Amino acid sequence: MTPIRSFIAAGLLVWAAVATVLLVEKRGAAPSGEASRVRDAESVDVPAKRPERDYFRPTPDGGTGPRGGTVYVPVYSTLYLGHGVAQPNLAVTLSVRNTSPAQGLTVRRITYYDTAGNAVQRFIDTPHALAAMGTAEFYIDLTDGRGGPGANFVVEWSASEGASDPLIEAVMVGGVGSRGISLISRGQTIDGPLSR
């Protein structure tokens, strides 16, 4: 076989394999093994299995501190690919990390906004205390595309004098076919608090 024919034959085999995978995904064939566990974990009907967060509870005194801020975190619950045709959904995890080794942090409010700037979901509306060096996470499911490509979280926080600023970022993961997509987006302090 000539090199050109070998190249064409290999290309046809690759296209056949891709078409088979896409056909199986489209028909919803039952996945096996690890793929089945991943699909179950991403399903809206399967409750998230997270440990109880004893270190992140509502604070009875309101948790006001002399310092604080409002942080804007851009997220992408969908992306445009291939001339804007493909629009894969991404799972989003917001991570609020108390970077202070000895002092607690109060998370006052967390709101999720869509591309148009509409409040889609309020995750926290009452002050919650986050222990020193603790992390609280908030999840937007892969199947939830309400936010769109211009979605964002707004996090309001306060702390006592001498405490470190929190580290607030979002991790987004998803995929198209056999390609994985992962992004990290770090929060930016803005003027606030917001009243919406």
Side-chain angles (χ1 to χ4, degrees):
M1 190 178 275
T2 66
I4 292 176
R5 284 187 179 169
S6 297
F7 179 75
I8 292 172
L12 289 174
L13 286 174
V14 168
W15 278 106
V18 169
T20 303
V21 167
L22 292 176
L23 184 60
V24 167
E25 285 180 0
K26 184 175 180 181
R27 288 186 179 166
S32 62
E34 183 64 23
S36 176
R37 285 190 292 280
V38 169
R39 184 163 293 161
D40 287 346
E42 293 174 346
S43 171
V44 174
D45 297 332
V46 176
K49 294 177 181 150
R50 293 191 186 92
E52 284 297 316
R53 296 187 285 194
D54 294 333
Y55 55 90
F56 187 69
R57 297 276 185 212
T59 179
D61 64 358
T64 58
R67 48 185 310 272
T70 302
V71 177
Y72 173 93
V73 186
V75 300
Y76 307 89
S77 63
T78 59
L79 282 177
Y80 294 108
L81 300 175
H83 304 292
V85 176
Q87 196 174 9
N89 287 349
L90 302 176
V92 178
T93 301
L94 176 72
S95 177
V96 179
R97 297 171 181 263
N98 184 357
T99 61
S100 185
Q103 298 178 1
L105 175 80
T106 300
V107 181
R108 306 191 63 71
R109 182 179 298 155
I110 298 178
T111 308
Y112 180 56
Y113 292 90
D114 67 10
T115 301
N118 301 311
V120 174
Q121 185 172 350
R122 182 136 314 149
F123 282 88
I124 291 181
D125 201 16
T126 58
H128 279 60
L130 181 58
M133 300 304 290
T135 300
E137 72 286 337
F138 305 89
Y139 180 71
I140 301 290
D141 193 80
L142 179 73
T143 60
D144 183 351
R146 294 177 298 166
N152 62 82
F153 284 98
V154 173
V155 180
E156 297 175 34
W157 64 275
S158 63
S160 61
E161 204 61 55
S164 304
D165 287 357
L167 174 62
I168 305 173
E169 60 188 2
V171 178
M172 293 139 284
V173 295
V176 177
S178 62
R179 293 184 201 160
I181 300 170
S182 61
L183 306 163
I184 296 176
S185 179
R186 189 154 294 177
Q188 170 77 38
T189 299
I190 60 173
D191 292 334
L194 300 179
S195 59
R196 300 201 297 178

